[in-house]
Amino acid sequence: QLQLVESGGGLVQPGGSLRLSCAASGFTLDKYSIGWFRQAPGKEREGVSCISMSGGSTDYADSVKVRFTASRDNAKNTVYLQMNSLKPDDTAIYYCAAGWNCYGSTLSGVGYWGQGTQVTVSS
């Protein structure tokens, strides 16, 4: 079965950190650019970050620049999103997706979506 599985979400206090993981099964991630998206209640889904196939290029939404860092370990078939200095506005379901090309912080040609992981930032 071809799928992406996110993990690492949870409840964290403002200013805290989380690291999300996106692991692939049934296919290899090194042939895809990977995007991280999030959707908060009542809001549209937004692209948070995109990382190129090699990991040599990353881009971020303005709202998360400096605080979030995307990385990938193709040997482990896993992509990560390190989230620091979290704010209540970062509360959302976070999804990873595999696609062709990054355009800024979003991704084109998405072929696979993960099921999402909840991130809640609250005191």
Side-chain angles (χ1 to χ4, degrees):
Q1 187 175 2
L2 308 178
Q3 60 178 353
L4 292 171
V5 178
E6 300 98 335
S7 61
L11 173 64
V12 64
Q13 292 188 341
S17 298
L18 286 173
R19 188 176 80 156
L20 305 184
S21 298
C22 171
S25 62
F27 68 104
T28 54
L29 284 181
D30 62 359
K31 294 177 174 56
Y32 297 90
S33 298
I34 304 297
W36 285 96
F37 297 79
R38 67 185 181 186
Q39 188 164 22
K43 294 187 178 180
E44 292 187 354
R45 185 175 60 200
E46 65 170 334
V48 173
S49 173
C50 196
I51 184 167
S52 63
M53 291 181 200
S54 67
S57 177
T58 55
D59 209 343
Y60 303 91
D62 288 343
S63 58
V64 307
K65 274 181 181 174
V66 178
R67 300 187 298 121
F68 289 12
T69 303
S71 62
R72 63 193 301 161
D73 186 338
N74 286 338
K76 294 183 177 179
N77 217 23
T78 302
V79 177
Y80 305 96
L81 185 68
Q82 177 68 41
M83 305 187 298
N84 299 328
S85 302
L86 283 162
K87 306 175 181 179
D89 283 350
D90 295 318
T91 296
I93 300 175
Y94 284 71
Y95 302 88
C96 64
W100 295 125
N101 293 302
C102 293
Y103 290 96
S105 61
T106 193
L107 179 68
S108 69
V110 175
Y112 304 99
W113 285 95
Q115 84 290 349
T117 185
Q118 177 71 49
V119 171
T120 303
V121 185
S122 175
S123 55

